[in-house]
Amino acid sequence: PLPLEEKLGPDVLVSVPADDKWFDLEVDDDVDPMSIVVSAEYNDRGWKYLGPKFEGKKTYQVKLVRLGYVRDLAEARTKADNMGCRLVEGQARESFKAKFPRPDGKGPVAFGGSEWQNPHGSPHVAYLGVLEGEWPSDFRWSGRGFHDGWRWLVVGK
């Protein structure tokens, strides 16, 4: 039998690429950063975008990588930098989710190139979780450890 992707056609279902495989992802950095908060079903009152500022609509060559256990977002950024990459901004979360509507069951995907401060004052990073065949959009405290099952979306420097 044909794989599901071939039965439905490539426009209906696109599989999440394997780790360390480059692919194109269009990202609109002109979107309001608070729309990323709202897309995770949070009220944006009290949230603040910490940056950095990105502008424009671009198509990035990106890949998913595993960084192993990291203590916090700062360590994840250092590990990505040592690989010759930078973490892709959180504004890419919804583009990734639209391009790959079904998770592959291989772990959450973090978008650590930008941060938001929640109403309690803690910095957070955007990510996609995995729950019953869905990608719930969410945020995670940047100062918390990320186990080795996390994948990070990166772009070359």
Side-chain angles (χ1 to χ4, degrees), residues 44-56:
D44 64 354
R45 177 176 282 134
W47 283 78
K48 179 181 174 184
Y49 182 62
L50 300 177
K53 176 88 170 115
F54 292 96
E55 292 180 332

Side-chain angles (χ1 to χ4, degrees), residues 28-128:
D28 185 356
D29 285 319
D30 290 329
V31 300
D32 178 0
M34 290 303 106
S35 71
I36 306 305
V37 173
V38 172
S39 69
E41 300 183 12
Y42 289 97
N43 180 329
D44 64 354
R45 177 176 282 134
W47 283 78
K48 179 181 174 184
Y49 182 62
L50 300 177
K53 176 88 170 115
F54 292 96
E55 292 180 332
K57 196 173 200 177
K58 307 174 192 75
T59 299
Y60 290 123
Q61 276 274 281
V62 297
K63 66 180 177 177
L64 293 167
V65 298
R66 293 183 188 270
L67 301 176
Y69 174 79
V70 293
R71 290 183 307 271
D72 54 26
L73 182 58
E75 184 177 11
R77 288 179 174 165
T78 298
K79 283 188 174 188
D81 186 57
N82 291 341
M83 295 170 61
C85 299
R86 76 166 175 81
L87 303 178
V88 175
E89 56 274 16
Q91 287 83 333
R93 183 183 67 197
E94 298 308 309
S95 299
F96 183 93
K97 185 177 180 177
K99 185 167 183 163
F100 308 109
R102 291 194 189 149
D104 55 6
K106 296 180 181 175
V109 176
F111 302 82
S114 52
E115 288 180 283
W116 286 257
Q117 180 178 300
N118 74 1
H120 304 290
S122 303
H124 281 68
V125 61
Y127 79 94
L128 289 172

